[in-house]
Amino acid sequence: MQPGNFETLRLQVHNHPGTMSHICGLFSRRAFNLEGIVCVPAEDNRTSTILLQVRESGDLEQIIRQLSKLEDVIRVETCNKLQSVFNTLTHASLDASE
């Protein structure tokens, strides 16, 4: 897989049960695959940052608009400088399996 074929979305969300389910459900309903997910709670535990790795697509702008409409989503932005997070996790996972 070429790194240039992916987009990284950064979401700031309310941190409570069901948030991830709502986000993943949106992608599932639109038959759009998530290639990677990283979720980290903020220090106050009231919000979390979610990084989503998705393949580039013409439908991506529509999905970003739909994510923005979800009640638990505070902010959505594309942030490809964070692609290295997924690259690092992939390499760590491959190293651990050897």
Side-chain angles (χ1 to χ4, degrees), residues 34-54:
L34 289 169
E35 302 293 333
I37 302 172
V38 175
C39 183
V40 180
E43 288 182 23
D44 65 3
N45 261 351
R46 293 185 358 219
T47 62
S48 291
T49 297
I50 299 175
L51 301 179
L52 302 175
Q53 183 184 48
V54 297

Side-chain angles (χ1 to χ4, degrees), residues 7 32 54-65:
E7 293 280 340
F32 203 88
V54 297
R55 288 198 179 274
E56 290 179 351
S57 167
D59 298 334
L60 189 58
E61 289 302 317
Q62 173 68 21
I63 288 178
I64 291 171
R65 286 192 296 274

